[in-house]
Amino acid sequence: MIFVSGQSDPFEATSMTQPTLRTWGNLALSPTLSHTDSQLALPLPEQENAWDYAIVEGLKFKYTVNEGQFLVGHSKAVTRPFEDVVAGFYEFAGTWFEPESLAFIPFIAPWVLYGWSDKTAYVAPRLSASLAPRDVTASVWVGRTGGTTIRTQIQSFKQQKAVHPRAELIAELDDAIEAAKESNWDGYGGVPTTTEAREGALKFINLLAPDIPDPEITPGSGGEVTFDWYRSTRLIFSVSIADTSRLYYAGLFGENKKLSGTEPLGHVLPDSVRLGISRVLDGIVEERR
Amino acid sequence: MESSKSVADPEEPLVRYLFQGHYRKDLTVKWQAFKPAREDNKTSVYLTRGLDDKAVWSLGADVAAERNQPLHGRADFKNEAVQRERLFVELDSPPDRHANIAGWPSPEDTEQVMLMAQGIADAARMLPVA
């Protein structure tokens, strides 16, 4: 993470200071920015790779300039819909560029907004996105919290040609669906995977944070798609998806501990699912007493 | 509900033949292999008491031919694994030795079905086709 010398991370609740924020239009500016009423746009930070931050309609952005004209930003929203965050990015970056010239470039889980709660101090991976003029072929995207340098990420992203971060898992999904495309594919009357199940599975895949390893994918006999995080037959967590509206989960964590339930399939990975996955990854097992 | 056709002995050896990749490279059986069929909400199995290994495979070949699917392997387990999940095995001949794991929850109770199937899979031993 790169900070302007002397500033604390504006996104860390525990260390956040609350400077007096000035406003310009509907933008609340950090005191490090300077502007005059005659300016139509906020000045860019003078130093490349130096972060600054602002608040737009309740969305906190930190931003910097890399490689000339590129603007990068990182937004953390508190219980705001994904669409609001995207709109906020355009509005925020519109202070420097014409909105028509901007392109939203997704990163990691592109269609998911993770929430951050002031009350619980629970911090989930945040949505990161970048905006760049459309006529620029090179892509840039923001750094994210976690210690990697911006420039390294930019170079890596250019080389990746904007491949979906879960491309291999999606390919595995399609391979599994292909294997289950015939009636009676399992010898016991199994039906082919439905289109709705595939769409739901893709929606679910996009909810998986980068720190979650790829699960096993297995087609279900009823046309659904199932995901397994597996360490042993007694340490397993599974998710079953038949459409885009709901998921079902079940897990075994040792001899006497089980977890099961159902959740809406929305824009955020349910806490219950994250918990189940974590229990498998952490190897938390309840032993027989 | 259980009936006079139910298999009571928890030590009764059972087999579920596998026609698809419902197993892992570490030769464990995936729980999806035990999901009940949509048609009757039951899981087809065979009783193997008294059969040697060769005979169990021969039975599997017959089942594969009947179902028009290549045999990938089999999952061996005991009736106690079924009973532990509060399910039961009921005889369903013909064919000879055929039975069903029955008593599953309603298909709408998806997560309970998943849990039970996971429990049975935990007790099963997977043998791939040679």
Side-chain angles (χ1 to χ4, degrees):
Chain A
M1 185 178 296
I2 301 172
F3 297 99
V4 174
S5 176
Q7 282 195 350
S8 60
D9 178 8
F11 290 97
E12 291 299 323
T14 56
S15 62
M16 184 183 293
T17 57
Q18 296 293 336
T20 300
L21 298 178
R22 295 170 292 130
T23 60
W24 178 65
N26 60 353
L27 296 179
L29 311 174
S30 79
T32 60
L33 289 179
S34 62
H35 75 283
T36 64
D37 289 342
S38 62
Q39 287 182 324
L40 297 180
L42 296 170
L44 295 174
E46 293 181 359
Q47 181 181 354
E48 280 199 10
N49 295 330
W51 291 101
D52 212 321
Y53 71 98
I55 299 174
V56 179
E57 298 291 340
L59 299 174
K60 300 175 184 176
F61 293 91
K62 75 179 194 181
Y63 59 96
T64 186
V65 173
N66 266 282
E67 300 191 355
Q69 300 183 46
F70 301 127
L71 167 72
V72 295
H74 182 149
S75 170
K76 184 173 72 172
V78 179
T79 63
R80 295 289 293 275
F82 172 80
E83 291 76 15
D84 282 5
V85 178
V86 176
F89 269 118
Y90 278 96
E91 183 175 2
F92 179 62
T95 59
W96 286 278
F97 302 103
E98 291 295 326
E100 296 75 21
S101 70
L102 298 173
F104 180 82
I105 301 172
F107 165 59
I108 302 301
W111 310 118
V112 177
L113 168 68
Y114 298 103
W116 175 80
S117 170
D118 272 321
K119 296 179 182 178
T120 66
Y122 170 71
V123 179
R126 276 89 66 179
L127 175 68
S128 297
S130 67
L131 297 169
R134 286 184 183 278
D135 59 351
V136 177
T137 56
S139 299
V140 297
W141 49 276
V142 300
R144 56 191 167 98
T145 57
T148 52
T149 64
I150 303 300
R151 198 165 297 281
T152 301
Q153 290 173 326
I154 291 172
Q155 293 300 325
S156 173
F157 186 71
K158 287 180 180 178
Q159 293 165 5
Q160 289 173 11
K161 299 179 181 180
V163 175
H164 192 290
R166 295 281 185 177
E168 287 188 14
L169 186 62
I170 292 174
E172 185 180 334
L173 169 67
D174 287 337
D175 286 346
I177 291 173
E178 176 70 17
K181 67 179 180 180
E182 304 288 342
S183 294
N184 192 41
W185 58 268
D186 62 350
Y188 292 107
V191 299
T193 305
T194 66
T195 302
E196 293 77 16
R198 183 180 183 274
E199 290 177 358
L202 288 174
K203 188 176 180 181
F204 178 71
I205 287 173
N206 279 330
L207 298 182
L208 301 178
D211 61 329
I212 296 177
D214 284 352
E216 299 175 340
I217 296 181
T218 304
S221 58
E224 72 276 21
V225 175
T226 61
F227 299 85
D228 293 329
W229 283 267
Y230 165 85
R231 288 186 68 169
S232 72
T233 55
R234 189 42 72 162
L235 190 57
I236 180 172
F237 183 76
S238 304
V239 172
S240 176
I241 293 175
D243 54 46
T244 57
S245 66
R246 180 160 290 275
L247 63 84
Y248 301 86
Y249 63 88
L252 299 180
F253 313 102
E255 293 293 338
N256 298 312
K257 200 68 174 179
K258 301 178 181 181
L259 181 68
S260 66
T262 180
E263 295 274 7
L265 184 56
H267 296 294
V268 181
L269 190 70
D271 288 343
S272 53
V273 174
R274 178 175 288 276
L275 172 64
I277 296 171
S278 296
R279 293 197 68 142
V280 172
L281 298 182
D282 295 340
I284 298 174
V285 174
E286 295 289 332
E287 299 298 335
R288 184 191 295 276
R289 296 178 181 173
Chain B
M1 306 294 288
E2 294 194 49
S3 69
S4 58
K5 293 185 178 180
S6 297
V7 177
D9 184 2
E11 293 297 313
E12 185 75 39
L14 304 167
V15 67
R16 170 79 164 170
Y17 291 108
L18 306 176
F19 306 106
Q20 250 292 347
H22 284 166
Y23 56 92
R24 302 183 185 86
K25 292 179 182 178
D26 63 356
L27 299 186
T28 54
V29 185
K30 291 187 178 182
W31 61 267
Q32 292 86 343
F34 293 98
K35 265 197 62 182
R38 280 159 46 105
E39 183 181 57
D40 57 6
N41 203 34
K42 298 177 182 179
T43 304
S44 174
V45 296
Y46 286 82
L47 280 62
T48 59
R49 188 186 295 273
L51 297 181
D52 61 16
D53 189 64
K54 185 177 178 182
V56 176
W57 282 120
S58 177
L59 176 60
D62 292 341
V63 174
E66 179 186 332
R67 295 180 181 271
N68 197 30
Q69 289 287 343
L71 185 64
H72 282 226
R74 76 188 208 223
D76 289 354
F77 58 108
K78 292 184 179 180
N79 191 25
E80 64 181 351
V82 176
Q83 293 173 332
R84 190 180 305 130
E85 302 301 327
R86 298 180 182 175
L87 302 170
F88 59 94
V89 173
E90 61 179 17
L91 300 174
D92 184 40
S93 300
D96 192 30
R97 292 180 175 272
H98 184 250
N100 291 309
I101 299 176
W104 292 95
S106 163
E108 285 72 37
D109 205 351
T110 303
E111 63 270 30
Q112 285 305 310
V113 172
M114 292 169 68
L115 264 184
M116 292 173 163
Q118 287 174 339
I120 299 174
D122 175 50
R125 182 172 71 111
M126 191 269 172
L127 294 168
V129 169

